[in-house]
Amino acid sequence: MKARNSVLASALASVLFWAFACDSSTVCKADADCPAQSAFCYAGKNPKPGIGGVCVRTHTIHSFEPLEAPHGKKLYIRGSDFFPAPSLSVTLNGVPAEIFSVSSNEIVVYVPKNLNCSGPIEVTIGHRVATSATDFSYIPTVTVSTFAGDGPTGEEGGGFRDGPSEEALFDEPWGLAIDLEDNLYVADSLNDRIRKISKGMVSTLAGKEPGYQNGQGTEALFDYPTGIAFHPSSGNLFVVDSFNGYIREITPSGEVSTFAGEGQSCSACWNEPSGIAIDPTSGNFYVADSYNHRIIEITPEKEVSTFAGSNSGNSGVANGTGEFARFNGPDGIAIDTKGNLYVSDYLNHCIRKITPKKEVSAFAGKCGMHGNNDGLANFARFYYPAGIAFHPSSGNLYVSDFGNDLIRRISPEGKVSTLAGTLNPYCALNDGPGAQAQFCGPDGIAIDKEGNLYVADAYHHRIRKIVLE
């Protein structure tokens, strides 16, 4: 009898629920048959107009909480006229979410495990969709590990050894680049080599000792290589040979040639250039000419010009167009899908944005002021930002905050948060969850096809991997 009463109570609750959701149970074949614009024709498991159903009040989303959460957490969506129809579904930025419970004014779902969940919430019943007025923000679970490198840490550490990634030695690795096969290339600055990490093995692609010489593999010489970029069309690497003042080109077989540059014997030389980025649309190269305080543009025809910043080597913090803008030791460069450049303005402690029309502005951080605050736009603070990378799927920028020993994330709206790392004055080394991991002078940064980050941890002489889930 108890079980029978339970079934009857459940059935009665279902009837009452439908009565609440429906407009007087008006039978319909199309939305136009319903008594008001606030109702639509719902036809059960096959919610298509024209086959017959009942009029149901159009549902709406009023709010949700929490506004941001990691995967597995419950998300409470509040509104009106929800009902447990077979066709009810919930998505977070298009990603389906598992439903925990439904009532007339609240739906509870589990946040799915997907980095693309940040965005609008949509509740679909029949052929009607209700969309949240604000976006949900997905908080990834962050895990840091050592991808390659071993040996002592600190500025006096470092060494050279090829071999299995856990046994290899680096000496202040700087720039990183990833090819189409997810092979990782490292500008191993104090070893004056370009290293390759593939399938757990570290090898030397080019370079041997300080100097300047073109040639094959270890016959070629570099002097403190810094920035490095992979060209998806040619399959070649382009390396900023900083102390030599050139851009060097390396084929997949390791043949090294000089692509552009003025060397160090001229009166208007490049002055310790650092970061490099390639625009896949135009084929143009952009180089941070650090101590001339400017951004250089190089066309595929090797025509070199100042894109933004002083032609006279003057530093400053001014925004403006082209040569009227001022930088102070620009370091890393990244480019987004619209051709905008983002520059780590190292000595100004901020991130600058340059549009294709050469309009320079402050994108994140307060130029001229340093710190470690998270927050929106100019409320956030950096301390010698260095490497920078753009993630095309999320639109986020990732920055190696060199002086703070942190990895920072910047949303498309300019909101800055700390992704991984802690303030680390004693150069301790620690893998683990993002908030517990420790870096020491993080520099170059790259992103693979799965959205994993790789960081050149310069004073730990290691390559670190950051997995986001």
Side-chain angles (χ1 to χ4, degrees):
M1 180 65 69
K2 184 176 180 180
R4 178 178 173 82
N5 287 341
S6 176
V7 170
L8 288 172
S10 177
L12 179 60
S14 179
V15 169
L16 291 173
F17 200 87
W18 268 89
F20 179 86
C22 298
D23 281 350
S24 302
S25 299
T26 304
V27 176
C28 59
K29 290 187 176 181
D31 290 352
D33 297 333
C34 296
Q37 291 182 349
S38 61
F40 71 98
C41 189
Y42 177 73
K45 294 183 179 181
N46 190 11
K48 296 179 181 179
I51 67 166
V54 293
C55 292
V56 177
R57 289 196 295 271
T58 301
H59 57 291
T60 58
I61 298 174
H62 300 157
S63 64
F64 63 88
E65 64 173 348
L67 299 178
E68 54 183 22
H71 71 83
K73 295 295 183 180
K74 287 181 179 178
L75 180 64
Y76 297 82
I77 304 167
R78 299 189 174 101
S80 59
D81 297 310
F82 300 138
F83 64 99
S87 63
L88 186 147
S89 64
V90 178
T91 61
L92 311 184
N93 198 36
V95 179
E98 179 186 350
I99 297 173
F100 173 74
S101 64
V102 181
S103 68
S104 62
N105 58 5
E106 182 180 80
I107 301 174
V108 182
V109 301
Y110 292 107
V111 176
K113 190 176 183 178
N114 193 307
L115 294 175
N116 296 317
C117 283
S118 293
I121 297 173
E122 291 187 339
V123 174
T124 301
I125 301 176
H127 59 280
R128 290 294 181 95
V129 179
T131 305
S132 61
T134 57
D135 288 350
F136 170 76
S137 294
Y138 182 77
I139 300 176
T141 300
V142 181
T143 306
V144 179
S145 62
T146 297
F147 185 70
D150 193 16
T153 63
E155 294 186 46
E156 302 304 320
F160 170 74
R161 182 167 62 217
D162 284 336
S165 58
E166 67 274 13
E167 299 176 6
L169 298 179
F170 300 86
D171 199 350
E172 291 191 19
W174 198 103
L176 299 177
I178 297 178
D179 68 14
L180 298 178
E181 303 300 322
D182 275 348
N183 297 307
L184 185 67
Y185 299 88
V186 182
D188 194 2
S189 296
L190 287 184
N191 278 323
D192 302 294
R193 290 170 165 89
I194 306 303
R195 315 285 289 279
K196 179 180 180 178
I197 307 175
S198 179
K199 298 179 180 179
M201 296 295 293
V202 179
S203 60
T204 297
L205 180 66
K208 179 175 61 175
E209 60 190 27
Y212 173 68
Q213 180 173 293
N214 290 323
Q216 178 68 38
T218 56
E219 296 176 359
L221 302 179
F222 301 84
D223 195 355
Y224 202 78
T226 53
I228 184 169
F230 174 76
H231 198 298
S233 297
S234 67
N236 294 340
L237 292 170
F238 291 83
V239 178
V240 180
D241 191 0
S242 186
F243 288 177
N244 280 325
Y246 291 107
I247 306 300
R248 314 288 290 280
E249 183 174 3
I250 310 176
T251 67
S253 64
E255 184 69 28
V256 179
S257 60
T258 298
F259 177 73
E262 299 170 314
Q264 298 290 18
S265 59
C266 62
S267 59
C269 302
W270 295 358
N271 193 349
E272 295 187 24
S274 53
I276 183 171
I278 303 171
D279 184 343
T281 302
S282 67
N284 291 334
F285 298 75
Y286 296 92
V287 178
D289 188 5
S290 295
Y291 293 105
N292 280 327
H293 312 292
R294 62 176 178 165
I295 306 302
I296 295 169
E297 181 182 69
I298 309 170
T299 68
E301 295 75 32
K302 303 183 182 182
E303 297 176 355
V304 180
S305 61
T306 297
F307 188 71
S310 172
N311 276 317
S312 305
N314 297 321
S315 63
V317 298
N319 293 321
T321 302
E323 65 184 49
F324 296 102
R326 293 291 179 267
F327 300 86
N328 195 0
D331 195 294
I333 299 184
I335 189 165
D336 69 14
T337 52
K338 297 180 181 179
N340 298 302
L341 293 175
Y342 299 87
V343 178
S344 296
D345 200 353
Y346 187 80
L347 296 177
N348 276 331
H349 311 293
C350 62
I351 307 302
R352 312 290 289 279
K353 179 179 179 178
I354 312 175
T355 70
K357 294 182 179 180
K358 304 184 181 182
E359 298 164 338
V360 179
S361 60
F363 184 68
K366 180 72 172 178
C367 295
M369 299 182 66
H370 64 78
N372 56 50
N373 299 346
D374 288 337
L376 287 172
N378 65 349
F379 292 101
R381 297 290 182 268
F382 298 87
Y383 190 31
Y384 300 124
I388 186 169
F390 175 75
H391 188 249
S393 297
S394 65
N396 291 330
L397 288 168
Y398 294 92
V399 178
S400 292
D401 195 353
F402 185 91
N404 281 321
D405 299 314
L406 304 175
I407 307 302
R408 315 291 289 279
R409 177 178 54 207
I410 310 175
S411 72
E413 298 76 29
K415 183 181 180 180
V416 179
S417 57
T418 297
L419 182 74
T422 60
L423 301 181
N424 191 14
Y426 301 108
C427 207
L429 173 63
N430 189 39
D431 288 334
Q436 299 174 21
Q438 292 175 303
F439 300 85
C440 188
D443 215 315
I445 190 166
I447 306 173
D448 69 14
K449 289 181 289 190
E450 301 300 320
N452 300 309
L453 276 65
Y454 299 84
V455 178
D457 195 358
Y459 295 149
H460 279 150
H461 312 288
R462 286 160 168 78
I463 308 303
R464 312 290 290 281
K465 181 177 181 178
I466 304 177
V467 176
L468 308 179
E469 296 182 297

